[in-house]
Amino acid sequence: MSSEADARTHDTVILGAGMSGLCMAIQLKQAGRHDFVILEQSAGLGGTWWDNRYPGAHVDVPAPLYSFSFAPNPRWTRRFASAPEIQAYMRHCAARYGIEPHLRLGCQVTAAHFDADAGLWHISTASGRALRARFFVCSTGPLSQPRWPDIAGLDDFRGDKLHSARWDAGADLRGRRIAVVGTGSTASQLVPPIAAQAAQLHVFQRTANWVMPRPDRRYNALDRTLARLPLAAALVRQFWYQVLEWGRRGFDEGTLARRAMLATASAHRRRQIADPALRARLTPPYPLGCKRIIYSNDFYPALTQPNVELVTAPIERFTADSVVCADGSERRIDTLVCATGFDTVQLLSSLQITGLNGRTLRQAWRDGPEAYHGITVAGFPNLFLMLGPNTGTGHTSTLLYIEPAVRYAIACMQVLQAGGQRWMNVRPEVMRAHNLALQARLEGSVWTQCRSWYRMDSGKVVALFPGFTGEYRRAVAQPVLADYVFG
Ligand code: NAP
């Protein structure tokens, strides 16, 4: 066990080896900043793609947009890449940019506190290791803490209990009686392959969601050739960028995009579900766009299989071997699969982060997580969040928000280095004004019209950026020095 006295000091410590941590690592190297480590609690690289290895997992945006702009991937085999392909892409990037020696896997950070005199973050891990860093980058993202359903008897269930975000690759689903709780993006992906293996599958739906066709296809030799030509790869990426930005218009009432998306979703439902009663139960009760739209060609057909039942009666409790619903019905099961999403509101709550004057991030975020452009937090100098509050997107690839945030953080590091200061802290009044303006824009928006992981129980939308991607990119193009206090 190393003590604080012999702690190693790095320029930067990155927490989390998902897409944003990897992007930060690569860009640090590109900027000539080689003194960093990535601390990752899992046994492998991948972040959410490491955790979410459930059957059928794939990205829900076209793969050319789910690759770094600086590293197009000619190896995608289809437009909507699978989780294993994305992991392979990440491993390839880590090797190509020399990131592997910086990775510390199986390393769980428990606490970090900022020493203003030294201008250093002191970081401790579960194994007792201590590190110091000038800059602390938290890139764990909002989709890292699995949320189990708050339903009575969950602990009484004696069969196999799985959460989609902590999938047990050894789980055998063949010939089993299975319950899937949830019908969000994740459930829509895992229900079809589970239905193909299960003896009986009960899908428990609390809220029906909007489902659109997924324009998926295998990539052929021409696609792979184009992906190797930088200009062609950039054009394909730009095409999908524009298509998805157009989709953002669909979140605003009265737009042509919205009318087209509503018509497409209704036609998809009619085409794929012949039974009007089942179709009615799968018709969303909230406005399109309020939750993440599901793109799937096989979810509805899976629900019409003879061994699959859609249950819309609310679950009352679990017993040792069954699910009991509020209407008194009971279904015996061997396996319970919870596709119930993530705790997105309690960001970074599993570790104690202490900033200036002994104030913790938990205290600062008592009323919900807030940051400046989702990246810096007043009172926590030299801390940079990736995928921080209000930087999520409901319409496009999250990498389009990660890359500008990474550039912004590195620009801040360069400013400090050039000026010879120890730390920079965003002015509280600047952060407050920024968040008041954000929340004013979000008020009355489509995202306030249903319950989702974008919002807190209080109704505050803490996950999403309200505008188009270009607006975020422009806003964080360069840090405005007047927004910060330097020490
Ligand atoms: P989610 O969207 O939060 O969905 C959770 C589901 O569980 C919902 O259907 C929810 O019902 C249900 N649920 C939660 N608690 C419940 C309870 N106590 N009783 C009954 N039902 C309950 O989570 P997710 O599907 O894991 O997706 C989260 C996000 O991850 C997505 O929005 C997307 O951004 C991302 N994702 C991306 C991909 C990809 O790109 N490959 C794949 C999967 C997920 P209610 O709707 O009624 O709350």
Side-chain angles (χ1 to χ4, degrees), residues 72-121:
N73 183 15
R75 285 169 218 82
W76 297 129
T77 62
R78 55 187 320 123
R79 188 179 280 158
F80 288 81
S82 68
E85 274 196 68
I86 295 167
Q87 275 191 294
Y89 170 70
M90 295 178 77
R91 282 196 302 272
H92 169 80
C93 287
R96 173 176 164 192
Y97 292 97
I99 304 305
E100 285 153 342
H102 300 264
L103 267 176
R104 305 286 179 269
L105 299 174
C107 180
Q108 191 192 356
V109 171
T110 49
H113 73 268
F114 187 67
D115 171 357
D117 293 333
L120 290 175
W121 279 96

Side-chain angles (χ1 to χ4, degrees), residues 257-271:
R258 188 166 185 81
R259 284 200 294 280
M261 286 163 77
L262 288 170
T264 306
S266 302
H268 190 51
R269 223 170 25 241
R270 275 198 309 277
R271 211 171 25 247

Side-chain angles (χ1 to χ4, degrees), residues 58-60 150 183 185-186 206-207 291-292 339 341 451 453:
H58 60 263
V59 66
D60 62 0
D150 49 353
T183 50
S185 301
T186 297
R206 189 165 66 179
T207 311
K291 299 182 195 229
R292 180 97 179 174
R451 167 186 52 203
W453 66 264

Side-chain angles (χ1 to χ4, degrees), residues 48-49 52 54 56-61 66 80-83 86 143 147-151 163-165 180-189 204-209 286 291-294 313-315 318 338-344 393-394 396 450-454:
T48 198
W49 298 106
N52 287 266
Y54 55 80
H58 60 263
V59 66
D60 62 0
V61 295
Y66 204 79
F80 288 81
S82 68
I86 295 167
L143 304 181
R147 192 183 50 201
W148 291 88
D150 49 353
I151 296 173
H163 194 290
S164 50
V180 168
V181 182
T183 50
S185 301
T186 297
S188 75
Q189 297 186 353
F204 291 85
Q205 171 182 277
R206 189 165 66 179
T207 311
N209 287 310
Y286 64 86
K291 299 182 195 229
R292 180 97 179 174
I293 295 170
I294 293 169
I315 302 173
F318 299 109
C338 293
T340 43
F342 302 86
D343 186 348
T344 56
T393 163
T396 189
C450 69
R451 167 186 52 203
S452 78
W453 66 264
Y454 300 156

Side-chain angles (χ1 to χ4, degrees), residues 15-23 38-53 57 66 68 82-94 99-100 103-106 139-141 143-144 165-166 342 387 398-399 402:
L15 175 59
M19 275 290 189
S20 58
L22 180 60
C23 183
I38 310 177
L39 309 181
E40 166 58 57
Q41 65 177 5
S42 299
L45 177 75
T48 198
W49 298 106
W50 174 269
D51 294 333
N52 287 266
R53 286 179 292 175
Y66 204 79
F68 297 124
S82 68
E85 274 196 68
I86 295 167
Q87 275 191 294
Y89 170 70
M90 295 178 77
R91 282 196 302 272
H92 169 80
C93 287
I99 304 305
E100 285 153 342
L103 267 176
R104 305 286 179 269
L105 299 174
S139 48
T140 50
L143 304 181
S144 52
R166 290 291 180 273
F342 302 86
L387 297 170
T398 187
L399 299 196
I402 290 172

Side-chain angles (χ1 to χ4, degrees), residues 210 212 243-266 284-291 293 295 444-450 468:
W210 289 92
M212 306 268 278
V243 170
L244 270 56
E245 287 306 287
W246 185 82
R248 163 64 188 80
R249 293 182 195 280
F251 297 164
D252 298 328
E253 280 301 340
T255 58
L256 174 65
R258 188 166 185 81
R259 284 200 294 280
M261 286 163 77
L262 288 170
T264 306
S266 302
Y286 64 86
L288 176 110
C290 182
K291 299 182 195 229
I293 295 170
Y295 291 87
S445 69
V446 70
W447 302 293
T448 60
Q449 294 170 37
C450 69
F468 288 83

